[in-house]
Amino acid sequence: QVQLVESGGGLVQAGGSLRLSCAASGRTFSSYAMGWFRQAPGKEREFVAAISRGGTRTMYADSVKGRFTISRDNAKNTVYLQMNSLKPDDTAVYYCATARSVISTNSPAYDYWGQGTQVTVSS
């Protein structure tokens, strides 16, 4: 069993920044890839970013490329999502998740999910 706890969400003005954190426990953190997804009201959950086990490979949705950066600290069992130049369209609940095996953009590839943290970007 894996437990994931997200933090760092909040209210920010357009153009601002936030850093989300996801602390993991219950399994060897460095043994699985990690991902961030988000879900806005009335919309389906969508992929945001993912990072490989060792942190050497990353993937991003086109909508966040160049603005968001995913990273991980395996010594702290934590994955981060640095979000810059935020836009109102980034408003959503953000979830971190553990991948069943390799890095992926597809949500079925992820097995454990956190409870989510709300990010609200005002215009």
Side-chain angles (χ1 to χ4, degrees):
Q1 192 78 8
V2 175
Q3 292 78 44
L4 301 172
V5 179
E6 301 97 336
S7 62
L11 173 64
V12 64
Q13 288 187 331
S17 298
L18 284 174
R19 188 175 83 152
L20 305 183
S21 299
C22 173
S25 62
R27 197 163 80 186
T28 304
F29 182 71
S30 59
S31 66
Y32 45 88
M34 295 290 296
W36 285 97
F37 291 77
R38 67 187 182 186
Q39 186 166 20
K43 295 186 178 181
E44 294 186 353
R45 185 168 57 192
E46 65 175 1
F47 169 77
V48 176
I51 189 166
S52 61
R53 301 169 189 175
T56 56
R57 186 181 172 199
T58 57
M59 302 174 73
Y60 296 93
D62 287 343
S63 59
V64 307
K65 205 170 292 184
R67 300 187 298 121
F68 291 10
T69 302
I70 188 171
S71 61
R72 66 190 296 163
D73 185 337
N74 286 346
K76 295 183 178 179
N77 291 353
T78 302
V79 62
Y80 305 97
L81 185 68
Q82 177 66 44
M83 305 186 296
N84 298 331
S85 302
L86 282 161
K87 305 174 181 179
D89 284 349
D90 296 318
T91 296
V93 177
Y94 283 71
Y95 301 90
C96 66
T98 63
R100 301 178 193 277
S101 57
V102 298
I103 187 173
S104 174
T105 64
N106 300 314
S107 59
Y110 294 80
D111 49 3
Y112 292 99
W113 296 78
Q115 294 298 310
T117 185
Q118 176 71 47
V119 171
T120 303
V121 184
S122 63
S123 57

